[in-house]
Amino acid sequence: MGLQEFWESVYKKWAKDTSWTFGASDKTWLRLRAASLIAGISADHNAWRSTAGILAERMVMTADAGPDREYVTNALSLLRQTGDQKSVELAVRHLLRNGPAGPVIDDVNVIDLERSTSTSVRADLAALQSAADVLVADRSDRHIAFLLEVLRDPTSFGERVKATFWVSRAVLETMSDLLLSASKESVRDIVDHVISLPQMDDQLMAHHYAGLIREIPEDAWIGSDLVALEQRGETDNFELAEAISEVLAKCDPSVRDALRTRIADGDIASLQAFGDVRDLGQETAAGLIANLASKVANDIEELGRGQYSHRSVNYAGVLVLINACYPDQADWDPVLELLMLKSLYSQQLTAPLESFRKLGGLIPEPVVMRIIPVLRSLVINPPSQDPFFGPVVDVVGAAAAALAAVRPNELGDSELAHFLTGSEDRRVAAVRVIAARERPADLTALAVLSKDPSVDVRAQVAFGLAQWIGKGITDQRVLDLLTHVLDDGERSSQKQWRDHLNR
């Protein structure tokens, strides 16, 4: 009966049934609550974790956004106590993404890692990671101080909580996220910890310390810190050494100069450490473009054989960036050839399309004339689904946004209409196309899209309106709509907006 009642309630919610029965109770909740109480009284810990976790998930799913803030907060707390790390991550991210964010704020700001149990500790850390930007500064500082102590002696902490996970990794990942809301004093404590690290040749530890270093604000490093980092030399694992090089390159011009030779030889790690690519110089850019063009040509050859090499850097996307910044040295042929290639692995196209979208105004007109038919072909006739490998990555939205960036009025209203009712990615693309056209007459369409359930779409509406205002395309209606979109109540956290606008 419990499953039947649950399914009926889900079905009625899906059907938007507004009827109600006088005197009825939530029998599914009652049964789950009874089961969790019986499991607790009988000291069956695993059964309690299971039934209480399902109960907490139901509470989160069925609560009303407004009046049930405390109810949802209690559900999140219960979910953490059961130690269901994955469900905690999903719940917190969903509430921060779609609202209400209030219960998340209330719950994560009462977490005390010193009181975490062997059951709850991993879920507590996961909640802090997922909601770091809604922590108040003093709570974040307290967690950072505790985690730094754990890093100095991870064994003791691991024994106390009977850890079945890698403690140092979880601590470093959590601390990286906590930097979002940390005070300058806590950031200073983290910097002091980093510069005091012994030589590190363990790649796993180096990887996570590199992630921590990249989250430290640039202005947190002072002269003595840079000296200490430089004195480490080449003794660390390459991942940590690269992260340190990025810090030094941002703060020390001599280090940037030394990177140019390696960048000209196609060293992408050195390019990432260098910073603003507009400072490379023509000679370095020429060498880099030649190397990137060769690598893109190799990718095209692989794709032609039905092969695909997965890597963290997409060479074609980087080549578009360098070409746009150095038009006299540019080589566009490999990029255009890649975009025209019909391959199962369409994910290879997303990075160069995103680069075209972001850099549309820098693309020379002769290149624009060559790229327009290529982009139009991707919008009209994208890579098709393979019967064996299944769906390919949908590049239609990315191609449309890129097309609007290089030629704002290339897509007409009839073509745009198909995007308005499409997938989330295509609705995001629709906003980008409308914003690129810079026509106040399109404000109504942006107003409709500002009500979209997706935070990606709403964030792009806000970004597009802000661009209009920055360019002087504004009147009171534009200002009012932007204010309305930004006045998002408790629907999304600042980190969610930042993440989606940085895409």
Side-chain angles (χ1 to χ4, degrees):
M1 289 297 292
L3 177 59
Q4 177 183 344
E5 291 153 358
F6 169 72
W7 181 250
E8 287 178 353
S9 68
V10 171
Y11 180 75
K12 288 180 179 179
K13 186 173 183 179
W14 169 81
K16 295 182 172 55
D17 180 14
T18 59
S19 64
W20 57 279
T21 303
F22 182 78
S25 59
D26 186 346
K27 293 182 181 179
T28 302
W29 185 95
L30 290 173
R31 291 174 186 271
L32 287 171
R33 180 59 174 158
S36 66
L37 288 173
I38 292 170
I41 293 171
S42 60
D44 188 342
H45 187 59
N46 288 333
W48 174 82
R49 289 183 62 190
S50 177
T51 53
I54 296 172
L55 173 62
E57 290 173 350
R58 176 168 175 80
M59 291 168 67
V60 172
M61 291 173 59
T62 58
D64 290 330
D68 290 345
R69 177 166 177 159
E70 184 178 357
Y71 181 80
V72 178
T73 302
N74 292 336
L76 291 173
S77 178
L78 179 60
L79 199 55
R80 283 192 298 102
Q81 291 171 39
T82 67
D84 191 342
Q85 172 195 345
K86 189 62 179 177
S87 292
V88 167
E89 291 174 352
L90 291 172
V92 169
R93 290 171 184 170
H94 175 82
L95 291 172
L96 290 179
R97 181 185 179 94
N98 301 295
V104 176
I105 296 171
D106 294 344
D107 181 56
V108 297
N109 277 293
V110 298
I111 293 175
D112 185 350
L113 292 176
E114 295 183 33
R115 300 179 62 183
S116 293
T117 67
S118 57
T119 299
S120 71
V121 61
R122 198 66 187 93
D124 289 342
L125 292 171
L128 292 176
Q129 284 182 255
S130 301
D133 63 319
V134 298
L135 281 170
V136 295
D138 63 333
R139 300 296 302 183
S140 183
D141 292 350
R142 180 176 176 180
H143 294 313
I144 288 174
F146 177 76
L147 293 174
L148 285 172
E149 287 298 322
V150 172
L151 282 177
R152 296 184 186 102
D153 184 15
T155 303
S156 296
F157 177 75
E159 290 175 350
R160 179 177 74 80
V161 298
K162 299 180 178 63
T164 58
F165 57 94
W166 184 18
V167 171
S168 295
R169 171 185 175 179
V171 167
L172 287 169
E173 289 178 344
T174 304
M175 200 151 56
S176 297
D177 288 319
L178 289 174
L179 277 166
L180 282 168
S181 52
S183 67
K184 291 183 178 180
E185 291 75 18
S186 285
V187 174
R188 181 70 248 168
D189 291 339
I190 293 176
V191 170
D192 290 340
H193 172 77
V194 168
I195 62 176
S196 66
L197 289 173
Q199 176 185 342
M200 189 172 296
D201 52 16
D202 183 301
Q203 182 165 354
L204 289 175
M205 288 295 291
H207 173 78
H208 293 289
Y209 266 108
L212 176 64
I213 288 172
R214 291 189 174 103
E215 293 298 326
I216 296 174
E218 185 177 335
D219 60 3
W221 304 97
I222 59 177
S224 59
D225 303 329
L226 302 177
V227 171
L229 292 177
E230 195 165 10
Q231 288 175 346
R232 298 179 70 91
E234 301 292 332
T235 60
D236 297 305
N237 175 272
F238 75 93
E239 290 208 51
L240 181 59
E242 288 174 0
I244 290 174
S245 294
E246 291 176 23
V247 173
L248 294 174
K250 291 176 182 176
C251 305
D252 187 343
S254 64
V255 174
R256 295 187 83 203
D257 291 338
L259 293 173
R260 285 191 169 89
T261 302
R262 284 184 279 177
I263 292 172
D265 291 334
D267 188 332
I268 300 299
S270 296
L271 178 65
Q272 291 173 322
F274 186 83
D276 193 337
V277 298
R278 293 172 294 183
D279 298 333
L280 286 174
Q282 296 290 338
E283 184 177 350
T284 303
L288 176 60
I289 287 171
N291 274 279
L292 288 171
S294 176
K295 290 175 179 177
V296 174
N298 290 336
D299 287 343
I300 293 171
E301 186 178 342
E302 277 192 357
L303 292 169
R305 296 195 302 264
Q307 299 174 338
Y308 169 59
S309 297
H310 179 75
R311 60 178 71 91
S312 60
V313 176
N314 183 287
Y315 297 132
V318 179
L319 182 55
V320 173
L321 168 63
I322 307 302
N323 280 344
C325 294
Y326 296 91
D328 293 339
Q329 311 294 338
D331 183 357
W332 293 100
D333 290 343
V335 177
L336 295 174
E337 185 179 351
L338 176 66
L339 293 177
M340 289 187 289
L341 186 68
K342 296 298 182 182
S343 167
L344 293 175
Y345 303 106
S346 56
Q347 57 264 46
Q348 283 279 53
L349 308 184
T350 55
L353 291 174
E354 282 296 297
S355 293
F356 274 114
R357 176 183 67 80
K358 294 175 181 178
L359 303 165
L362 298 178
I363 309 301
E365 183 60 24
V367 180
V368 171
M369 297 300 294
R370 294 177 63 192
I371 194 65
I372 284 176
V374 177
L375 296 176
R376 267 204 163 277
S377 176
L378 286 172
V379 172
I380 298 170
N381 185 28
S384 58
Q385 176 174 319
D386 183 85
F388 180 76
F389 290 98
V392 297
V393 174
D394 184 7
V395 298
V396 172
L403 184 57
V406 299
R407 187 62 58 81
N409 293 305
E410 184 66 24
L411 287 174
D413 290 342
S414 59
E415 295 170 298
L416 185 60
H418 295 292
F419 291 84
L420 296 175
T421 56
S423 65
E424 180 180 292
D425 286 343
R426 295 194 182 190
R427 299 197 308 277
V428 168
V431 177
R432 287 170 172 164
V433 171
I434 293 171
R437 299 197 312 194
E438 299 180 352
R439 298 187 335 208
D442 290 333
L443 190 62
T444 300
L446 290 178
V448 172
L449 288 163
S450 72
K451 298 291 187 181
D452 196 277
S454 165
V455 68
D456 288 9
V457 178
R458 302 197 306 272
Q460 287 303 326
V461 171
F463 185 63
L465 292 171
Q467 285 183 312
W468 281 14
I469 293 171
K471 294 178 180 180
I473 308 169
T474 183
D475 58 26
Q476 191 58 45
R477 296 178 306 148
V478 176
L479 292 170
D480 289 345
L481 180 57
L482 178 59
T483 301
H484 171 74
V485 177
L486 293 177
D487 186 18
D488 204 35
E490 295 183 334
R491 293 185 69 183
S492 305
S493 73
Q494 294 178 5
K495 181 175 183 292
Q496 295 288 328
W497 282 79
R498 186 199 68 177
D499 289 347
H500 296 296
L501 288 176
N502 285 339
R503 285 178 55 188

